[in-house]
Amino acid sequence: MKKPTILFLVVILTFLTVSCSSDSSDDNMNQAAQTTVNDNVVAPEAKAIENDILDLINDYRIGKGLNPLNKRNIIKSQAFSHTEYMVNTNNVSHDNFNQRRAYLINNAGASYVSENVAYGFTSAETVVNAWINSDAHRENIEGNYAYFDISAEQNSQGDWYYTNIFVR
């Protein structure tokens, strides 16, 4: 097989083997409501591809009669740290999701957190379309959330890794 065909198959296989992750914390809802919301975190400036992804997701949600979601730096900081982790380990995963979830519950007043991850897509349109065409990822995109943010980072070979976190 030619190299582009093999790369395409690897990307599709990787995407299909990586599911989305979500977890509620209704038990911690009262505790979360009592915490101070902290958006004074350091998050990198949004890249054009990240803004495009968020716009496409909101356009999709609006088209479905759902509320658009708002960005928050505290969510971006968690998405960024996980994307950097995936780049450094060269592995697309939801590793340490419960730590990100707990951080957002304790510091952003979240009661429900989910995430989509992806690898290898080269444009905002392709990654968003892939998530929409996956039942579990689409469920997160269409979920009852108020906030979201994303991190898209490239490894040294130029391959993109994505972490999109949704919060209610």
Side-chain angles (χ1 to χ4, degrees):
M1 271 196 258
K2 294 181 180 178
K3 188 174 182 175
T5 304
I6 292 171
L7 179 60
F8 176 74
L9 290 174
V10 168
V11 168
I12 294 299
L13 181 61
T14 299
F15 181 76
L16 293 175
T17 59
V18 175
S19 65
C20 62
S21 182
S22 64
D23 196 7
S24 68
S25 179
D26 292 332
D27 295 339
N28 293 328
M29 188 181 282
N30 290 337
Q31 177 188 356
Q34 295 171 2
T35 60
T36 302
V37 175
N38 179 7
D39 274 312
N40 296 323
V41 294
V42 176
E45 280 291 318
K47 296 175 185 67
I49 193 169
E50 293 168 338
N51 288 328
D52 291 346
I53 291 168
L54 298 177
D55 289 344
L56 288 167
I57 289 172
N58 268 339
D59 290 347
Y60 175 83
R61 286 178 61 87
I62 291 166
K64 293 287 185 181
L66 302 168
N67 63 299
L69 304 177
N70 298 304
K71 299 187 316 181
R72 290 192 59 195
N73 275 345
I74 195 165
I75 299 168
K76 172 103 174 151
S77 71
Q78 293 301 293
F80 175 73
S81 68
H82 183 60
T83 305
E84 282 290 299
Y85 169 83
M86 292 190 302
V87 167
N88 291 334
T89 61
N90 195 33
N91 183 41
V92 181
S93 72
H94 292 285
D95 291 354
N96 308 310
F97 172 72
N98 286 330
Q99 291 173 354
R100 289 186 294 288
R101 180 182 143 279
Y103 180 86
L104 291 167
I105 288 168
N106 292 324
N107 295 285
S111 62
Y112 197 85
V113 177
S114 67
E115 74 179 15
N116 289 341
V117 297
Y119 164 79
F121 296 95
T122 57
S123 72
E125 293 81 8
T126 57
V127 72
V128 171
N129 286 336
W131 281 333
I132 289 170
N133 289 321
S134 162
D135 292 339
H137 295 95
R138 184 177 58 253
E139 185 177 312
N140 284 341
I141 290 172
E142 294 177 357
N144 179 20
Y145 300 103
Y147 303 99
F148 70 159
D149 221 316
I150 189 159
S151 174
E153 301 297 327
Q154 289 179 290
N155 66 12
S156 59
Q157 292 79 39
D159 300 319
W160 285 97
Y161 289 77
Y162 305 89
T163 303
N164 188 194
I165 299 178
F166 302 86
V167 171
R168 170 175 69 220

